[in-house]
Amino acid sequence: MKIESTDIIRLIEQFLKENNLTATLETLQKETGVFLNTVDDLDSFKASIQKGEWDVVLASTEQAQIAPNKRIDLYEQIIIELVEQQDVNPARALLRQTEPMEIMRTQQPDRYLHLERLMSRTTFDASFAYKSGETRDSRRTSIAEQLLNEVDEAPASRLLTLLGYSMKWQLQQSMLANSDSYNLFFGKATTLSTVKEDKVPQRLLATVKFPKKQHPTSLAFSFDGVYLATGSMDGFIEIWNYMTGKLATELKYQADGSLMLMEEAVTGLAFSHNSDFVCSGALDGKIKIWKIKTGTCFKRFSAAHSDNITCVEFSPDDSQVLSGGADHMVRIHGLKSGKMLKEFRGHSAPITSAVFSEDGSRVISASDDGYVRIWDTESATCLHSVVPDIQNHGLTFPGTHSLLVIPGSSNFVVCTKSPSIYLMSVDGKVLKCFTASQSTCNAFQTAALLPHGKYMLAVSDQSILHYVDFETNTMHAENKIPNDDVTGMACHPKLNIAAFISNDRRIPIWTA
């Protein structure tokens, strides 16, 4: 079997394109004379043109080698449609600042002048914009036919897929040690190292995009740092490569389209500490435990709660699952027995967060009733019931949420639906209060800890990212998250990476 060197170059070019390394891709294509000229799916590419989804079309063709006249036709149509939508400024920028339009100005000045006149008109007239007999739809169809002759279809992530097949074969032949992480360059198994110090994420790394009529409702990173899991409104649970924002297709069931699925919206997610399992809770009160490698359901609790699940977490030894619900209850479920083992009663409103202490001897719960309760895990007895800042409130207290246990400590953090965040101890004492400025926060929505627990990140109702420095006991307002109404977040257990969810179908993933 002979493998062409041009095929190897195209594999590398596709990898560069999918990881947004556009400058490197451009240099490689220029030096080798080998152009990628591929799209993931020809039908989808054609549909994007016919629907006028020009941002998608431009992204797909930006680095492709396309005949100048066909690229000119594409840019001309985009400019006409921008003018029709009264987006004159971006239309003018495309006309005057892009290479295809500069070629048109030099070689077809009358055609160029026609576009200038189109932009100067106070109203859009299709009969002026298009040639006799042409319409917007007919132009789109014509451009689609032209561009389909310029590109080929190639499955996504071919380089990683082929490397994955190679490694699986070597594992079957006992040529590789079985390991969840493998260094291809050095040819040995590795584990992901934890960063030396916590740093606040400030720039976009990748974005997970969901289709229309679907949006994420929960997310979690695996403890080994390999995957990001998301749960969505339609019940799907998906595993992602957080470095690229792409679906983890090395998991065969995901590559085949056989995703993990709950009957209702996924309202809670958590990985086991060995990262072999993910637990999902749903709007109908059900809990399921899934095997990550196969996507199969390992255990289910069909009546975990009488109302929707609000949070889930594995016990430190991964033998039990802790859950909270809108039914005001906190419960522990046994994975071996498949039954509820403990119930913690006392809250008078939906549970917003429930966690084990680091040694597992205590359960800590937060609720919309404003209380933080600390329980003995073995006896289910409530040891402490605390409203973190009771002296500053009247008869009603702001709800508490986002309980976070600080690594290597008996202390934990709790957010309130107010501008205040509290550091507490497991004996129920409030150790410190951090309050944000009202100019950046009326109430905190969600929070998470960076790997070493030096910094806690929290997002306000104004989508402003704040961080608390536990070494200096200070709070700082940082960048604004582009997504409005951030409802949840998760931090990577080993890297300075954070992911955010809202209702806009995108999960931005930030890195330091």
Side-chain angles (χ1 to χ4, degrees):
M1 180 185 296
K2 183 180 180 181
I3 298 176
E4 298 291 340
S5 59
T6 53
D7 292 338
I8 302 299
I9 293 171
R10 287 193 177 94
L11 287 171
I12 297 171
E13 288 176 344
Q14 184 190 51
F15 178 83
L16 294 173
K17 178 182 177 182
E18 291 175 344
N19 288 275
N20 298 317
L21 299 171
T22 52
T24 309
L25 171 59
E26 186 177 352
T27 301
L28 181 59
Q29 290 189 145
K30 184 178 180 181
E31 290 186 352
T32 62
V34 178
F35 289 82
L36 187 58
N37 279 39
T38 63
V39 295
D40 293 346
D41 184 271
L42 287 174
D43 291 335
S44 298
F45 180 64
K46 180 179 180 180
S48 294
I49 297 172
Q50 292 176 329
K51 292 176 183 176
E53 297 173 345
W54 300 119
D55 55 337
V56 176
V57 177
L58 287 176
S60 299
T61 59
E62 182 181 9
Q63 299 296 333
Q65 187 181 40
I66 293 175
N69 63 313
K70 295 180 181 180
R71 197 178 287 276
I72 287 172
D73 289 346
L74 170 63
Y75 276 62
E76 180 184 42
Q77 183 60 25
I78 295 172
I79 291 170
I80 291 173
E81 293 193 24
L82 285 172
V83 174
E84 182 179 3
Q85 297 164 13
Q86 298 183 337
D87 289 334
V88 177
N89 288 334
R92 185 174 287 113
L94 274 179
L95 181 64
R96 298 178 179 176
Q97 300 175 21
T98 58
E99 184 180 355
M101 293 296 97
E102 178 60 24
I103 295 173
M104 176 193 280
R105 188 185 68 82
T106 304
Q107 299 181 0
Q108 305 176 58
D110 291 342
R111 189 177 176 186
Y112 182 90
L113 185 59
H114 178 265
L115 292 176
E116 286 280 12
R117 289 170 178 164
L118 178 66
M119 287 190 293
S120 66
R121 296 171 70 94
T122 56
T123 59
F124 181 81
D125 183 356
S127 63
F128 179 82
Y130 297 107
K131 295 177 182 179
S132 177
E134 285 187 337
T135 64
R136 183 184 64 183
D137 289 341
S138 69
R139 283 278 294 163
R140 287 179 178 178
T141 300
S142 174
I143 290 169
E145 291 173 355
Q146 292 181 53
L147 294 183
L148 286 174
N149 292 326
E150 298 285 321
V151 297
D152 293 313
E153 181 178 292
S157 304
R158 285 294 294 155
L159 180 60
L160 296 180
T161 300
L162 292 172
L163 288 172
Y165 288 154
S166 172
M167 291 183 68
K168 286 179 182 178
W169 182 83
Q170 291 181 70
L171 280 169
Q172 292 171 356
Q173 302 300 316
S174 300
M175 297 169 66
L176 291 180
N178 195 358
S179 172
D180 290 334
S181 182
Y182 198 82
N183 188 312
L184 283 173
F185 186 76
F186 290 106
K188 61 183 180 181
T190 61
T191 56
L192 190 63
S193 299
T194 304
V195 291
K196 293 183 178 179
E197 61 177 326
D198 289 349
K199 293 182 180 179
V200 178
Q202 295 183 332
R203 62 181 178 87
L204 185 67
L205 172 67
T207 302
V208 175
K209 299 177 183 179
F210 286 76
K212 291 181 179 179
K213 298 182 181 180
Q214 182 183 347
H215 68 267
T217 50
S218 53
L219 77 171
F221 283 100
S222 60
F223 279 89
D224 60 7
V226 175
Y227 293 126
L228 171 68
T230 61
S232 62
M233 181 59 71
D234 54 7
F236 284 106
I237 301 151
E238 295 167 291
I239 310 298
W240 305 86
N241 180 332
Y242 56 84
M243 298 297 291
T244 64
K246 304 292 186 182
L247 202 66
T249 52
E250 66 269 23
L251 298 172
K252 188 176 184 300
Y253 59 94
Q254 292 202 145
D256 295 340
S258 302
L259 303 180
M260 297 175 281
L261 178 65
M262 301 292 284
E263 288 78 10
E264 298 284 346
V266 182
T267 51
L269 276 180
F271 276 92
S272 60
H273 293 81
N274 61 15
S275 299
D276 288 342
F277 301 94
V278 66
C279 173
S280 58
L283 200 62
D284 56 8
K286 296 179 181 179
I287 289 175
K288 291 183 181 181
I289 315 296
W290 307 85
K291 292 183 178 180
I292 292 297
K293 290 185 178 180
T294 63
T296 55
C297 183
F298 167 72
K299 191 75 68 176
R300 69 187 69 211
F301 301 90
S302 297
H305 287 267
S306 60
D307 206 335
N308 68 286
I309 306 294
T310 56
C311 54
V312 289
E313 177 174 297
F314 281 88
S315 62
D317 64 357
D318 289 336
S319 66
Q320 301 169 349
V321 166
L322 176 69
S323 65
D327 57 4
H328 311 176
M329 299 296 177
V330 179
R331 290 171 175 161
I332 292 178
H333 314 270
L335 295 190
K336 187 173 290 186
S337 66
K339 298 179 180 179
M340 184 187 74
L341 304 179
K342 300 283 170 59
E343 184 174 77
F344 304 83
R345 292 174 172 263
H347 284 290
S348 58
I351 307 302
T352 54
S353 184
V355 297
F356 285 101
S357 62
E358 197 164 61
D359 63 3
S361 65
R362 298 288 184 267
V363 167
I364 310 164
S365 58
S367 166
D368 277 335
D369 62 12
Y371 282 84
V372 174
R373 294 182 182 268
I374 302 169
W375 315 78
D376 178 77
T377 304
E378 186 63 30
S379 65
T381 302
C382 184
L383 304 176
H384 307 283
S385 182
V386 183
V387 175
D389 196 11
I390 192 170
Q391 65 269 24
N392 292 332
H393 299 281
L395 297 177
T396 59
F397 316 123
T400 53
H401 63 92
S402 300
L403 292 167
L404 305 166
V405 177
I406 297 178
S409 166
S410 60
N411 299 333
F412 63 93
V413 186
V414 59
C415 285
T416 61
K417 294 179 180 178
S418 78
S420 296
I421 293 171
Y422 299 89
L423 177 65
M424 297 182 63
S425 64
V426 289
D427 58 5
K429 295 179 180 178
V430 177
L431 304 177
K432 187 72 178 178
C433 173
F434 305 91
T435 302
S437 166
Q438 288 189 346
S439 65
T440 60
C441 176
N442 297 310
F444 282 108
Q445 304 284 80
T446 183
L449 284 171
L450 287 173
H452 294 286
K454 177 188 176 183
Y455 294 150
M456 185 200 75
L457 307 182
V459 181
S460 72
D461 56 339
Q462 300 174 39
S463 296
I464 303 294
L465 179 65
H466 296 67
Y467 76 93
V468 173
D469 185 334
F470 293 115
E471 290 187 355
T472 61
N473 286 327
T474 55
M475 175 183 282
H476 308 270
E478 281 290 303
N479 300 321
K480 180 177 175 63
I481 308 297
N483 304 47
D484 292 329
D485 192 26
V486 174
T487 57
M489 68 176 296
C491 283
H492 194 282
K494 298 188 176 188
L495 305 176
N496 290 314
I497 290 174
F500 309 89
I501 57 173
S502 61
N503 294 324
D504 74 347
R505 300 185 293 110
R506 292 171 182 258
I507 297 179
I509 302 171
W510 284 20
T511 186

